[in-house]
Amino acid sequence: MTHVQRFHGIPMSKSMRGLCKEEDYVFLGTDRTTADKDAAETLEGDRERSKDRLRRRLQREEEEKERVREMEEKKKEKEEQWRSHVEEMTCSQKTNLQERLSRIRRFRQRFQRRVLGEEPGLESGERDHILNQLLTRM
């Protein structure tokens, strides 16, 4: 087949190449069908490899989609946990503030009663009346 290399640079039509191949097979004494079988086997092997590559690529894409979906689910779960945490903190802060407000009001009422009780020059009837007015304003 050295002539193939030697005449490689010469432009030929497809039909001429086919004739040359047939002449080569006749000259070498090999059957064209065995060479075609070898070529067909090679072609079949190439097809199998390309199918395997395609299958592996599809599998990788599927795994990537699954990984992205899992990441999104984890992100949503963390956001939900954060929301519930903030909600709990807000609720506890409201409760604490309400308790503090009630303690301050009780202190203020006791303080005002004590101050009015110690006020000189007021009779007990006037003192009770003023005390009731102050308490109703609160």
Side-chain angles (χ1 to χ4, degrees):
M1 295 260 185
T2 58
H3 67 282
V4 173
Q5 292 172 355
R6 206 165 90 201
F7 296 117
H8 182 69
I10 299 173
M12 264 191 250
S13 67
K14 289 182 182 179
S15 61
M16 263 318 263
R17 284 192 193 124
L19 289 173
C20 289
K21 284 182 183 177
E22 287 180 19
E23 289 175 0
D24 289 344
Y25 291 128
V26 171
F27 175 75
L28 294 173
T30 59
D31 189 17
R32 182 177 181 169
T33 56
T34 57
D36 286 343
K37 287 179 185 176
D38 291 341
E41 288 174 3
T42 305
L43 185 61
E44 185 67 27
D46 290 344
R47 286 182 185 159
E48 287 296 321
R49 284 191 294 273
S50 66
K51 285 180 183 179
D52 283 343
R53 282 194 303 268
L54 178 64
R55 184 183 46 80
R56 285 189 302 241
R57 186 187 65 167
L58 292 174
Q59 185 179 4
R60 281 193 306 269
E61 288 174 358
E62 197 64 34
E63 289 172 354
E64 181 67 19
K65 286 178 184 178
E66 180 68 22
R67 188 181 66 80
V68 168
R69 187 185 60 77
E70 287 177 0
M71 286 176 57
E72 288 174 356
E73 286 178 1
K74 286 181 181 180
K75 184 178 177 182
K76 286 179 183 179
E77 185 178 325
K78 285 183 179 182
E79 286 176 2
E80 185 61 33
Q81 288 175 352
W82 175 251
R83 284 188 194 120
S84 64
H85 172 71
V86 168
E87 200 173 286
E88 290 173 5
M89 293 297 292
T90 304
C91 184
S92 67
Q93 284 179 353
K94 283 181 181 180
T95 306
N96 290 341
L97 286 175
Q98 288 173 350
E99 290 174 359
R100 186 174 177 194
L101 178 64
S102 65
R103 286 193 311 264
I104 290 173
R105 283 183 179 163
R106 284 192 307 258
F107 172 77
R108 184 176 170 197
Q109 288 173 354
R110 284 188 219 131
F111 181 76
Q112 285 179 349
R113 282 185 186 164
R114 194 174 340 141
V115 168
L116 287 175
E118 295 173 359
E119 183 80 26
L122 290 178
E123 297 178 16
S124 64
E126 286 181 53
R127 190 178 318 142
D128 291 338
H129 180 67
I130 293 173
L131 187 60
N132 286 337
Q133 285 180 346
L134 285 174
L135 292 176
T136 54
R137 276 192 241 157
M138 286 193 241

